Amino acid sequence: MTDALSLIDDWGPEKIVVVSHRRTGMKGVLVIDNTARGIGKGGTRMSPTVSVGEVARLARVMTWKWAGVDLFYGGAKAGIVADPASPDKEAILRAFARALSNEVPREYVMGLDMGLTENDAAIVQDELGDRGAAVGTPGHLGGVAYDELGVTGYGVAEAADAAAQHLRLPLGGARVAIQGFGAVGHAAAVRFAELGATVVAVSTAKGALHDPAGLDVPALRTAREEHGDDFVTRHHQGIAVPPGQELTVDCDILVPAALQDVIDETVAHRIKAKLVVEGANLPTSPQAQSILAERGISLLPDFVANAGGVVAAAFAMDARYSGFRPETSTIFETISKRLRTNAVTVLEEAQRRATTPHIAGRGLAEERVRAAMRSRGRLGS
């Protein structure tokens, strides 16, 4: 079991709240990591394996992600220990929201992460009677529907395109392998195809597809919309391969866009891509990052590559109490501009400092957070 006090360092967490509800069996945790640059904002996930340590790691990623895109919110994350397929999901979610009514939305605004949907965000708003309690609600309720719009996956492809151009690796015709075909992976695949790349592999929890000549992305997208993620890899064209093998197929760009901790030292030695773009949070271990650098494989960090969701969330935060829905075109234009700029900035900084993009990018984010902490009197002069 994680000792919460052992998680505290110079940056945070500022607050860890563990909650439970006996009748529904709800158990959950909120970690507010660092609010020097603004109120805590980050997604809420639902999974049977949620732990305090996991949520704390993700809350820290949010601290760097907000600072990395230079938007003024703080790092936070929440998790509910439950199966999102449970028939009791709504009751559990409502119990979780009630238990955090002291923190939400005054200190933390809920959002979407693994296991939660736009309708779940609407349930949180309904339970607390406050439109400001959650973002990511359906468009027909005035929200910015992240999953429906595919903002995170779109941003991943835009950041990858900028990084590829910087590395003189033209995206047109480049072979892309994507782990995951959920909200992030499928939207990234669609945008990669629009940009002229050839998607050669995709995967779900049930399996993976690989075709060196390229997969039919529009057909895969249609299959997903009509039958769900799992149908894609079980009943579609392409060579079926075991889950995880899509990480090591022959490709130019690899996008881990599903789970954390999937690229360890062993996998890092087997990767054939020239560029790895982290679509998921925390998919590569520090040891793997060093190995990739030693092998000359560029790596675009998660807090840069998948920040499209936080850019969209910033628009949603501003619009929580407004009667006007943010313009979708403005959201996409801002995601493209900020992520493309940040991708090149981090790669250039890594080259200048002769270090990994993770270390370089986090250094830039730390400078911004440290300046805010100092201005608020949270650090010595």
Side-chain angles (χ1 to χ4, degrees), residues 13 17 46 52-53 69 77 111 116 140 170 196 200 205 210 264 294 303 309 319 339 347 350 353 374:
V17 183
M46 180 180 285
V52 173
V69 293
K77 205 80 174 182
L116 295 189
H140 58 260
V200 297
H210 175 224
D264 57 16
E294 291 169 2
F303 53 85
L339 268 63
L347 291 177
R353 294 176 53 184
R374 186 173 292 112

Side-chain angles (χ1 to χ4, degrees), residues 56-108:
R57 289 176 69 196
L58 293 167
R60 179 59 52 83
V61 171
M62 291 305 301
T63 295
W64 305 141
K65 197 176 291 187
W66 285 116
V69 293
D70 203 18
L71 293 170
F72 294 94
Y73 294 104
K77 205 80 174 182
I80 305 169
V81 185
D83 183 350
S86 167
D88 300 321
K89 180 181 183 180
E90 181 177 332
I92 293 169
L93 185 61
R94 288 183 180 275
F96 183 70
R98 287 196 304 273
L100 291 176
S101 59
N102 288 333
E103 288 77 23
V104 179
R106 188 171 60 89
E107 298 178 66
Y108 169 67

Side-chain angles (χ1 to χ4, degrees), residues 1 6 16-17 23 31 56 59 65 92 128 131 189 192 208 216 269 275 279 293 299 317 344 365-366 369 372 374 381:
M1 180 178 293
S6 69
I16 299 176
V17 183
R23 184 170 62 82
V31 177
K65 197 176 291 187
I92 293 169
L128 297 181
R131 285 182 61 187
F192 273 118
D216 186 341
H269 280 296
L275 170 65
L299 176 65
M317 288 287 285
V344 174
E366 285 180 355
V369 175
R374 186 173 292 112
S381 57

Side-chain angles (χ1 to χ4, degrees), residues 267-332:
V267 175
H269 280 296
R270 296 171 55 206
I271 286 174
K272 300 178 179 66
K274 302 179 182 69
L275 170 65
V276 177
V277 180
E278 294 187 322
N281 289 322
L282 304 169
T284 59
S285 70
Q287 295 80 7
Q289 293 162 18
S290 297
I291 291 169
L292 293 175
E294 291 169 2
R295 296 185 59 208
I297 298 173
S298 296
L299 176 65
L300 198 61
D302 49 3
F303 53 85
V304 176
N306 69 17
V310 303
V311 174
F315 280 97
M317 288 287 285
D318 283 350
R320 282 181 298 159
Y321 298 110
S322 172
F324 296 92
R325 183 186 296 110
E327 290 290 337
T328 301
S329 59
T330 303
I331 294 173
F332 279 106

